[in-house]
Amino acid sequence: MEETEQPAGGLHFIGKKDELIEAKRSFRTVDGRDILIIHHQGVFYAMDCYCYHAGGTLENGDIEEINGKLCIICPKHKYKISLCEGEGLYRGRNPQEEPPVYRWYSKGVKQRTHTVTETNGEIFVKMSSQPGWIDSDYYQGEKDNSKKNEK
Ligand code: FES
């Protein structure tokens, strides 16, 4: 696993743009956190690399558009996670509807995503500073302190 260089202004150098495009998926450890860099249809994305559901590695997940959002499909149990926001999407139906129709619903943000920027052909990642617990934190070795405070 490759550990990135120390950041300037919170930006971690990840690699050369050309190399990351060619790789399509790249695995990095940033600040002790394992993340996946994805290049898809001309855009870079970065997210925690272990699926929020049960820690499956997302690296080889297919990417599909679901309900207008590009999502990675976890290879382990096929959970769908939007690339931009880390939203968990699922298909369900309301039994009170006549007839019940299957629709896509959101579980909210479940996977922590990070910001990718480019400068002069070099790619940098700024790690998420979104406060509070996001489910994928668990598989990065973090403890959910927010739940302790609920009692
Ligand atoms: Fe990803 Fe279960 S571990 S769907």
Side-chain angles (χ1 to χ4, degrees):
M1 207 175 300
E2 200 170 320
E3 185 72 38
T4 60
E5 292 173 15
Q6 283 304 304
L11 296 177
H12 299 261
F13 174 68
I14 295 299
K16 298 277 184 202
K17 181 181 177 183
D18 295 350
E19 291 168 7
L20 292 168
I21 289 174
E22 195 178 328
K24 293 191 178 90
R25 317 271 173 103
S26 306
F27 191 62
R28 295 285 188 278
T29 302
V30 179
D31 281 348
R33 198 168 186 103
D34 295 337
I35 64 168
L36 179 61
I37 317 297
I38 297 170
H39 185 262
H40 183 78
Q41 295 177 344
V43 180
F44 281 103
Y45 304 89
M47 60 171 47
D48 284 356
C49 80
Y50 307 121
C51 174
Y52 74 90
H53 172 227
T57 302
L58 295 173
E59 196 166 0
N60 295 318
D62 290 335
I63 294 175
E64 288 176 19
E65 188 175 320
I66 295 172
N67 215 21
K69 296 181 179 194
L70 281 173
C71 294
I72 191 159
I73 319 294
C74 177
K76 207 164 178 184
H77 309 107
K78 309 294 179 203
Y79 276 34
K80 283 95 176 134
I81 303 167
S82 73
L83 291 177
C84 283
E85 302 90 2
E87 219 179 334
L89 298 180
Y90 70 99
R91 207 159 172 256
R93 60 185 184 162
N94 179 351
Q96 291 173 342
E97 231 175 36
E98 259 319 313
V101 178
Y102 278 98
R103 291 196 173 80
W104 287 102
Y105 294 93
S106 172
K107 300 178 195 173
V109 174
K110 295 290 185 179
Q111 193 80 15
R112 197 173 280 279
T113 57
H114 312 284
T115 307
V116 183
T117 56
E118 183 210 335
T119 305
N120 300 326
E122 297 188 325
I123 301 298
F124 298 83
V125 163
K126 185 169 179 152
M127 298 301 282
S128 162
S129 59
Q130 191 171 331
W133 178 257
I134 294 178
D135 287 15
S136 67
D137 292 344
Y138 181 82
Y139 295 101
Q140 300 286 344
E142 294 187 25
K143 298 268 184 282
D144 185 359
N145 292 323
S146 65
K147 287 189 178 153
K148 275 188 208 154
N149 297 335
E150 286 171 7
K151 291 179 184 170

